[in-house]
Amino acid sequence: MRYQGIPVQKGVVIGYISKGTATLERHDGSDRIDVDEERMRFFDALLEYESRMKKIAHNAPGKDASDIVRAQIMIARDAVFSDEVIAGIEAGMKAETAVDKACKKYSEKLQESGDKIFAERSNDLLEVKNGIISAMEGSGEEGVADAETGFVGNILVSDTLSVAQIIGLKNSPIKAVVLTTGTASSHAAVILRSMGIVAVLGAELDITGLEDGQEGIVDGETGQFIVAPAGVERDWYQRKLKEYEVEKTLARIPDGKSLPSTTSDGEKIEVLCNLGTDDLPEHIRLSDGAGLVRTEILFAQKNGVPSEEIQAAIYAKIADSFPGKNAVIRVLDIGGDKTYGMYGDELPKSLRNKESEDNPALGIRGIRVLLDDEKLFKCQLTALLRASHGRNISILLPMVTSVGEIKAVKQLLAACMEDLNKRRIAYDKNIRIGCMIETPAAVMCAEMIAKEVNFFSIGTNDLSQYIMCADRGNSAVSGLCSIYQNPVLRAVKMVCESAAKYGIPVTVCGEAAAQTDVLPFFIGAGIRSFSVAPSCVYEVKTAISKLTLSSCRQLCGVVLEESDDEKIREILK
């Protein structure tokens, strides 16, 4: 029996099904209570919950997962939430019931807001509620409850899993996850992808009809979940599984020299990797350098904004992990749809007061945040300059919309250099500055911006969203937010042409960089550098080695003449 879902993490797993359920809600408000005792139970549970979640955050696989866990800790710490719970206890509720009602109250408000981002936060509230109640009742850390048989397979099938439960799979035998809920951009998808667990979400099936121990196959590329496969299906997937295993083995090779980095007719193409400042997997040297180092996690620490010295040491460590190669480090990029609550009161007031922004995606975000707080920005720029001494570091600016923003940054950078000169601290006086191209404005003035910077990096996710006026988190218009749209592809070509006039390189660092079917178009348009997740480097390099520059150029011309997105997909596929 085949079930279709949303593919989240590429790969194939052949094994046996283990049905799981999320931690059950266990609370009863029917008994009379001792108010002081219930109040103490609640505060003790908060401390226990935070302690558990900090351990989970420590074990989280990368920046995105850690951000999500920390955001849930912030919710639990919220004074308004605690006051609501205490009011319920003083009104005669048991602590469990008071927590349940407080979470439901704010969850309903978020759901009714009509804002996609706020609605997703309601899931965080549910997980916080279950976590606190679990701690309150003295049960173990939140995990996945197996079926009564106690059977443990390597394919976990469940309706839903919390963030804590997913991270808890880290040392389990589970190799694939199938959920009946979730989307490609949900928290579950983000964390499963970062953990490398083959996953299919939103599968159309009733798990009560499954049995523990049944044979199953999960295809993370097509989103198919096959129960009790036929012999022919099993054999076909066995061959596909071997292909993936070969790729995984090659991906662990520490030296990428043995892997192709040119087209079959000899055109040099760089394949770089995307990283967080806390994320240095062993096989990063398979790439040709770091094309996008995100720094947001550095600013989400308990002690506030890290000092210049701490930042410089971290940036230097990352650059040293790429000896002889370039490390492109993006300055702090928050605001809009990116988590900001955990960054504390040291960020600009204009960003903290998010409720004043009717449309955050068009408000204070990216480079606007940094130019709004000169002290914060100069600290990071100075740290990057210090780390650049003797290393190949480049600075990348996010969400640029005008030449004026670039010039303002260069003035601040010059001031930082002057300060370092006075302190007699060495740095790279010719440090490269790059600009993210992810807004229509940046595309339209790309030629003018090219005069001011050393390179471009195209962020295809936001570029597609803004050009198509389609929120990538809104399922109703998600089909429009796609690299296969003609206006988006034309924008990429325009950027390449503007960059070529001034001889600066262009890198694609959005999700589309790892879509091997789109690579021929990008190369034909003039792209010679891609930055992808470390786990995708081998696949992208292999795909490039099978292409020729002439065929890519020809394909690019054909695609740009086609207006229908489905036909564009067909051409590229």
Side-chain angles (χ1 to χ4, degrees):
M1 186 68 182
R2 288 177 176 254
Y3 302 95
Q4 185 63 48
I6 301 167
V8 168
Q9 174 62 30
K10 186 177 178 180
V12 169
V13 171
I14 302 173
Y16 298 94
I17 295 169
S18 178
K19 293 198 297 183
T21 58
T23 303
L24 299 176
E25 299 177 32
R26 305 169 299 275
H27 49 273
D28 181 8
S30 60
D31 298 333
R32 296 187 63 81
I33 66 163
D34 181 315
V35 171
D36 290 336
E37 180 181 342
E38 294 302 305
R39 188 188 293 115
M40 185 60 66
R41 287 181 67 227
F42 169 64
F43 285 122
D44 286 345
L46 276 182
L47 292 174
E48 175 62 19
Y49 171 77
E50 183 171 343
S51 175
R52 291 180 182 181
M53 294 300 280
K54 283 182 177 178
K55 291 178 182 177
I56 291 170
H58 179 73
N59 293 322
K63 177 189 77 70
D64 290 333
S66 181
D67 280 359
I68 292 168
V69 176
R70 284 186 166 89
Q72 293 187 357
I73 293 174
M74 293 294 293
I75 291 173
R77 286 177 178 172
D78 189 85
V80 176
F81 167 70
S82 295
D83 290 344
E84 189 77 23
V85 174
I86 296 303
I89 291 173
E90 291 176 349
M93 298 179 191
K94 289 187 70 174
E96 292 92 334
T97 304
V99 170
D100 177 55
K101 288 191 175 297
C103 286
K104 283 184 177 178
K105 174 182 176 180
Y106 293 112
S107 176
E108 289 171 358
K109 287 184 177 180
L110 291 173
Q111 291 283 6
E112 293 169 358
S113 70
D115 186 295
K116 175 71 174 179
I117 299 169
F118 286 166
E120 288 181 354
R121 295 288 81 79
S122 67
N123 293 327
D124 286 327
L125 278 167
L126 176 62
E127 294 186 20
V128 169
K129 177 189 73 173
N130 286 338
I132 293 175
I133 291 175
S134 175
M136 197 177 296
E137 297 183 348
S139 58
E141 291 191 10
E142 191 177 15
V144 179
D146 291 320
E148 293 179 1
T149 61
F151 176 83
V152 179
N154 60 348
I155 299 175
L156 178 62
V157 185
S158 182
D159 287 320
T160 185
L161 294 175
S162 71
V163 169
Q165 287 172 327
I166 294 172
I167 295 174
L169 299 176
K170 188 175 183 179
N171 298 315
S172 78
I174 299 299
K175 302 299 181 186
V177 167
V178 178
L179 301 181
T180 63
T181 58
T183 66
S185 60
S186 64
H187 285 173
V190 170
I191 299 176
L192 287 165
R193 194 179 294 121
S194 66
M195 292 175 71
I197 294 178
V198 176
V200 172
L201 304 189
E204 300 175 353
L205 78 153
D206 180 0
I207 66 171
T208 60
L210 303 179
E211 295 181 8
D212 285 292
Q214 278 185 292
E215 187 177 11
I217 298 175
V218 180
D219 187 337
E221 184 173 14
T222 65
Q224 289 196 329
F225 172 44
I226 305 171
V227 179
V232 175
E233 291 176 313
R234 190 186 304 107
D235 292 343
W236 190 87
Y237 274 103
Q238 286 285 7
R239 291 193 296 272
K240 192 170 184 179
L241 180 59
K242 288 181 180 179
E243 294 175 4
Y244 281 125
E245 290 303 319
V246 170
E247 293 183 11
K248 287 180 181 178
T249 300
L250 287 171
R252 287 191 284 269
I253 297 174
D255 186 354
K257 290 182 180 178
S258 62
L259 297 179
S261 57
T262 63
T263 60
S264 62
D265 53 352
E267 184 72 11
K268 174 69 176 177
I269 308 290
E270 278 190 324
V271 182
L272 313 166
C273 64
N274 300 331
L275 298 166
T277 49
D278 61 339
D279 184 21
L280 287 172
E282 293 180 1
H283 58 282
I284 56 171
R285 282 187 287 174
L286 190 67
S287 70
D288 299 319
L292 174 62
V293 179
R294 305 179 183 91
T295 61
E296 289 73 46
I297 192 65
L298 276 179
F299 295 81
Q301 306 302 318
K302 184 177 181 180
N303 296 325
V305 175
S307 68
E308 175 188 312
E309 290 74 18
I310 291 175
Q311 288 189 59
I314 292 173
Y315 302 146
K317 178 183 176 182
I318 292 170
D320 289 341
S321 298
F322 297 90
K325 301 174 182 177
N326 189 26
V328 179
I329 301 178
R330 187 178 68 188
V331 291
L332 178 64
D333 181 18
I334 58 172
D337 62 348
K338 297 184 179 178
T339 304
Y340 64 92
M342 68 187 70
Y343 293 90
D345 293 336
E346 295 190 50
L347 287 187
K349 183 178 180 180
S350 56
L351 181 64
R352 296 200 305 273
N353 295 338
K354 189 172 186 285
E355 66 273 10
S356 65
E357 292 192 284
D358 292 332
N359 192 338
L362 302 179
I364 306 298
R365 61 172 303 188
I367 197 65
R368 296 171 183 174
V369 172
L370 297 173
L371 292 176
D372 191 52
D373 191 330
E374 189 172 302
K375 179 182 177 182
L376 177 82
F377 195 14
K378 288 179 73 173
C379 178
Q380 185 172 28
L381 290 176
T382 303
L384 285 165
L385 285 170
R386 290 180 62 167
S388 71
H389 178 59
R391 301 178 181 89
N392 195 357
I393 287 178
S394 300
I395 299 173
L396 183 59
L397 309 176
M399 291 303 296
V400 170
T401 57
S402 71
V403 176
E405 290 167 338
I406 301 290
K407 291 182 176 179
V409 171
K410 292 173 80 171
Q411 288 179 352
L412 287 178
L413 192 64
C416 294
M417 289 179 174
E418 184 177 349
D419 175 60
L420 289 175
N421 290 335
K422 290 178 181 178
R423 289 192 275 161
R424 297 185 178 180
I425 297 176
Y427 60 91
D428 179 5
K429 292 180 171 58
N430 298 311
I431 193 167
R432 288 157 45 88
I433 300 176
C435 169
M436 289 288 293
I437 303 293
E438 46 195 340
T439 67
V443 174
M444 298 305 293
C445 64
E447 189 171 332
M448 291 184 284
I449 294 176
K451 298 177 184 179
E452 302 291 335
V453 299
N454 303 107
F455 63 96
F456 284 155
S457 287
I458 299 178
T460 56
N461 301 346
D462 271 317
L463 184 61
S464 300
Q465 173 177 246
Y466 286 122
I467 284 181
M468 299 307 297
C469 298
D471 180 0
R472 56 182 176 173
N474 186 338
S475 59
V477 293
S478 59
L480 290 172
C481 188
S482 163
I483 190 63
Y484 300 103
Q485 297 289 347
N486 180 278
V488 179
L489 296 175
R490 284 187 174 276
V492 171
K493 188 67 168 70
M494 288 172 62
V495 171
C496 290
E497 291 172 349
S498 296
K501 288 183 180 180
Y502 292 91
I504 66 172
V506 182
T507 297
V508 173
C509 61
E511 287 185 13
Q515 292 178 225
T516 54
D517 59 326
V518 192
L519 289 175
F521 169 82
F522 285 141
I523 294 173
I527 303 294
R528 295 295 179 269
S529 177
F530 299 91
S531 191
V532 300
S535 59
C536 296
V537 170
Y538 170 76
E539 181 184 11
V540 173
K541 283 195 170 188
T542 301
I544 289 171
S545 70
K546 298 175 182 178
L547 302 174
T548 64
L549 184 58
S550 58
S551 63
C552 290
R553 286 172 173 166
Q554 183 178 5
L555 178 74
C556 177
V558 172
V559 168
L560 291 177
E561 292 302 316
E562 181 54 63
S563 60
D564 184 84
D565 61 314
E566 287 302 321
K567 289 184 179 179
I568 289 175
R569 285 176 186 270
E570 291 176 10
I571 294 170
L572 293 175
K573 295 288 184 183

